[in-house]
Coordinates of all heavy atoms in Angstrom, one line a residue:
P299 N -22.5 186.1 69.4 CA -21.7 187.1 70.0 C -20.7 187.5 68.9 O -20.3 186.8 68.0 CB -21.0 186.3 71.1 CG -21.0 184.9 70.6 CD -22.3 184.7 69.9
V300 N -20.2 188.7 69.1 CA -19.2 189.3 68.1 C -17.8 188.7 68.2 O -17.1 188.7 67.3 CB -19.2 190.9 68.3 CG1 -18.2 191.5 67.5 CG2 -20.6 191.4 68.0
H301 N -17.5 188.3 69.4 CA -16.1 187.8 69.6 C -15.8 186.6 68.8 O -16.7 185.9 68.3 CB -15.9 187.5 71.1 CG -16.8 186.5 71.7 ND1 -16.7 185.1 71.3 CD2 -17.7 186.5 72.6 CE1 -17.6 184.4 72.0 NE2 -18.2 185.3 72.8
G302 N -14.5 186.3 68.6 CA -14.1 185.1 67.9 C -14.0 183.9 68.7 O -14.6 183.8 69.9
S303 N -13.4 182.9 68.2 CA -13.3 181.6 68.9 C -12.3 181.5 70.0 O -12.2 180.6 70.8 CB -13.0 180.4 67.9 OG -11.8 180.7 67.2
A304 N -11.4 182.5 70.1 CA -10.4 182.6 71.2 C -9.7 181.3 71.5 O -9.8 180.9 72.6 CB -11.0 183.2 72.4
P305 N -9.1 180.7 70.5 CA -8.5 179.4 70.8 C -7.4 179.4 71.9 O -7.2 178.3 72.5 CB -7.9 179.0 69.5 CG -7.7 180.3 68.7 CD -8.8 181.1 69.2
D306 N -6.9 180.5 72.2 CA -5.8 180.6 73.3 C -6.4 180.3 74.7 O -5.7 179.9 75.6 CB -5.1 181.9 73.3 CG -6.1 183.1 73.4 OD1 -7.2 183.0 72.8 OD2 -5.8 184.1 74.1
I307 N -7.7 180.5 74.9 CA -8.3 180.2 76.2 C -9.3 179.1 76.1 O -10.0 178.8 77.1 CB -8.9 181.5 76.8 CG1 -10.1 182.0 75.9 CG2 -7.9 182.6 77.0 CD1 -10.9 183.1 76.6
A308 N -9.5 178.5 75.0 CA -10.5 177.4 74.8 C -10.2 176.3 75.8 O -9.0 175.9 76.0 CB -10.5 176.9 73.4
G309 N -11.2 175.8 76.4 CA -11.1 174.6 77.3 C -10.7 175.0 78.7 O -10.6 174.1 79.6
K310 N -10.4 176.3 78.9 CA -10.0 176.7 80.3 C -11.2 177.1 81.2 O -11.0 177.3 82.4 CB -9.0 177.8 80.2 CG -7.7 177.5 79.5 CD -6.7 178.6 79.4 CE -5.4 178.3 78.7 NZ -4.5 179.4 78.6
G311 N -12.3 177.2 80.6 CA -13.5 177.6 81.3 C -13.5 179.0 81.8 O -14.1 179.3 82.9
I312 N -12.8 179.9 81.1 CA -12.7 181.3 81.6 C -13.4 182.3 80.6 O -13.3 183.5 80.9 CB -11.3 181.7 81.9 CG1 -10.4 181.6 80.6 CG2 -10.7 180.9 83.0 CD1 -9.0 182.1 80.8
A313 N -13.9 181.8 79.6 CA -14.5 182.7 78.6 C -15.8 183.4 79.2 O -16.6 182.8 79.9 CB -14.9 182.0 77.3
D314 N -16.0 184.7 78.8 CA -17.2 185.4 79.3 C -18.3 185.1 78.4 O -18.3 185.4 77.2 CB -16.9 186.9 79.2 CG -18.0 187.7 79.9 OD1 -19.1 187.3 80.0 OD2 -17.7 188.9 80.3
P315 N -19.4 184.5 78.9 CA -20.5 184.0 78.0 C -21.6 185.1 77.8 O -22.6 184.9 77.2 CB -21.1 182.8 78.8 CG -20.9 183.2 80.2 CD -19.6 184.0 80.3
R316 N -21.4 186.3 78.4 CA -22.5 187.3 78.5 C -22.8 187.8 77.1 O -24.0 188.1 76.8 CB -22.1 188.4 79.5 CG -22.2 187.9 80.9 CD -21.8 188.9 81.9 NE -20.4 189.3 81.8 CZ -19.8 190.1 82.7 NH1 -20.4 190.5 83.7 NH2 -18.5 190.4 82.5
A317 N -21.9 187.9 76.2 CA -22.2 188.4 74.8 C -23.1 187.3 74.1 O -24.1 187.7 73.4 CB -21.0 188.6 74.0
A318 N -22.8 186.1 74.3 CA -23.6 185.0 73.7 C -25.0 185.0 74.4 O -26.0 184.8 73.7 CB -22.9 183.7 73.9
I319 N -25.1 185.2 75.7 CA -26.4 185.2 76.4 C -27.2 186.4 76.0 O -28.4 186.2 75.7 CB -26.1 185.2 77.9 CG1 -25.4 183.9 78.4 CG2 -27.4 185.5 78.7 CD1 -24.9 184.0 79.8
L320 N -26.6 187.5 75.8 CA -27.3 188.7 75.3 C -27.8 188.5 73.8 O -28.9 189.0 73.4 CB -26.5 190.0 75.3 CG -26.2 190.5 76.8 CD1 -25.2 191.6 76.7 CD2 -27.5 191.0 77.4
S321 N -27.0 187.7 73.1 CA -27.5 187.3 71.7 C -28.7 186.4 71.8 O -29.6 186.5 71.0 CB -26.3 186.6 70.9 OG -25.2 187.5 70.8
G322 N -28.7 185.6 72.8 CA -29.9 184.7 73.0 C -31.1 185.6 73.3 O -32.2 185.3 72.9
A323 N -30.9 186.7 74.1 CA -32.0 187.6 74.4 C -32.5 188.3 73.1 O -33.7 188.4 72.9 CB -31.6 188.6 75.4
M324 N -31.6 188.6 72.2 CA -32.0 189.2 70.9 C -32.8 188.2 70.1 O -33.8 188.6 69.5 CB -30.8 189.6 70.2 CG -30.0 190.8 70.8 SD -28.5 191.3 69.8 CE -29.4 192.2 68.5
M325 N -32.5 186.9 70.2 CA -33.3 185.9 69.5 C -34.7 185.8 70.1 O -35.6 185.8 69.3 CB -32.6 184.6 69.7 CG -33.3 183.4 69.0 SD -32.7 181.8 69.4 CE -33.3 181.6 71.1
L326 N -34.8 185.9 71.4 CA -36.1 185.9 72.0 C -37.0 187.0 71.6 O -38.2 186.9 71.3 CB -36.0 185.8 73.5 CG -35.5 184.5 74.1 CD1 -35.2 184.6 75.6 CD2 -36.5 183.4 73.9
D327 N -36.3 188.2 71.5 CA -37.0 189.4 71.0 C -37.6 189.2 69.6 O -38.7 189.5 69.3 CB -36.1 190.6 71.0 CG -36.3 191.6 72.2 OD1 -37.5 191.6 72.7 OD2 -35.4 192.2 72.6
H328 N -36.7 188.7 68.8 CA -37.0 188.4 67.4 C -38.2 187.4 67.2 O -39.0 187.6 66.4 CB -35.8 187.9 66.6 CG -36.1 187.6 65.2 ND1 -36.3 188.6 64.2 CD2 -36.2 186.4 64.5 CE1 -36.5 188.0 63.0 NE2 -36.4 186.7 63.2
L329 N -38.2 186.4 68.1 CA -39.2 185.4 68.0 C -40.6 185.8 68.7 O -41.5 185.1 68.7 CB -38.7 184.1 68.7 CG -37.6 183.4 67.9 CD1 -37.1 182.2 68.8 CD2 -38.0 182.9 66.6
G330 N -40.6 187.0 69.3 CA -41.8 187.6 69.8 C -41.9 187.4 71.3 O -43.0 187.6 71.9
F331 N -40.8 187.0 72.0 CA -40.9 186.8 73.4 C -40.1 187.9 74.1 O -39.1 187.7 74.8 CB -40.3 185.4 73.8 CG -40.9 184.3 73.0 CD1 -40.2 183.6 72.1 CD2 -42.3 184.0 73.2 CE1 -40.8 182.5 71.4 CE2 -42.9 182.9 72.5 CZ -42.1 182.2 71.6
A332 N -40.7 189.1 74.0 CA -40.0 190.3 74.5 C -39.8 190.3 76.0 O -38.8 190.8 76.5 CB -40.7 191.6 74.0
K333 N -40.8 189.8 76.7 CA -40.7 189.8 78.2 C -39.6 188.9 78.6 O -38.8 189.3 79.5 CB -42.1 189.3 78.8 CG -42.1 189.4 80.3 CD -43.4 188.9 80.8 CE -43.4 188.9 82.4 NZ -44.8 188.5 82.9
D334 N -39.5 187.7 78.0 CA -38.4 186.8 78.4 C -37.0 187.5 78.0 O -36.0 187.3 78.8 CB -38.5 185.5 77.6 CG -39.8 184.8 78.1 OD1 -40.2 184.9 79.3 OD2 -40.3 184.0 77.3
A335 N -36.9 188.1 76.9 CA -35.7 188.8 76.5 C -35.3 189.9 77.5 O -34.2 190.0 77.9 CB -35.9 189.4 75.1
S336 N -36.3 190.6 77.9 CA -36.0 191.7 78.9 C -35.6 191.1 80.3 O -34.7 191.7 81.0 CB -37.3 192.5 79.2 OG -37.6 193.3 78.0
T337 N -36.1 190.0 80.6 CA -35.7 189.3 81.9 C -34.2 188.9 81.8 O -33.5 189.1 82.8 CB -36.6 188.0 82.1 OG1 -37.9 188.4 82.3 CG2 -36.1 187.2 83.3
I338 N -33.8 188.4 80.7 CA -32.4 188.0 80.5 C -31.5 189.2 80.6 O -30.5 189.3 81.2 CB -32.2 187.2 79.3 CG1 -32.8 185.8 79.4 CG2 -30.7 187.0 79.0 CD1 -32.7 184.9 78.2
R339 N -31.9 190.3 79.8 CA -31.1 191.5 79.8 C -30.9 192.1 81.1 O -29.8 192.6 81.5 CB -31.6 192.5 78.8 CG -31.2 192.2 77.3 CD -31.5 193.4 76.4 NE -32.9 193.5 76.2 CZ -33.6 192.9 75.2 NH1 -33.0 192.2 74.4 NH2 -34.9 193.1 75.1
A340 N -32.0 192.1 81.9 CA -32.0 192.7 83.2 C -31.1 191.9 84.1 O -30.3 192.5 84.9 CB -33.4 192.8 83.8
A341 N -31.1 190.6 84.0 CA -30.2 189.8 84.8 C -28.7 190.0 84.5 O -27.9 190.0 85.3 CB -30.6 188.3 84.7
V342 N -28.5 190.1 83.2 CA -27.1 190.4 82.7 C -26.6 191.7 83.3 O -25.5 191.9 83.8 CB -27.0 190.3 81.2 CG1 -25.6 190.7 80.8 CG2 -27.2 188.9 80.7

Side-chain angles (χ1 to χ4, degrees):
V300 173
H301 60 66
S303 59
D306 56 320
I307 62 169
K310 297 181 179 180
I312 60 174
D314 189 338
R316 290 177 293 188
I319 293 166
L320 288 170
S321 298
M324 294 181 75
M325 180 190 74
L326 287 170
D327 258 332
H328 177 73
L329 293 174
F331 306 114
K333 183 177 179 181
D334 295 330
S336 295
T337 296
I338 291 177
R339 274 193 291 270
V342 172

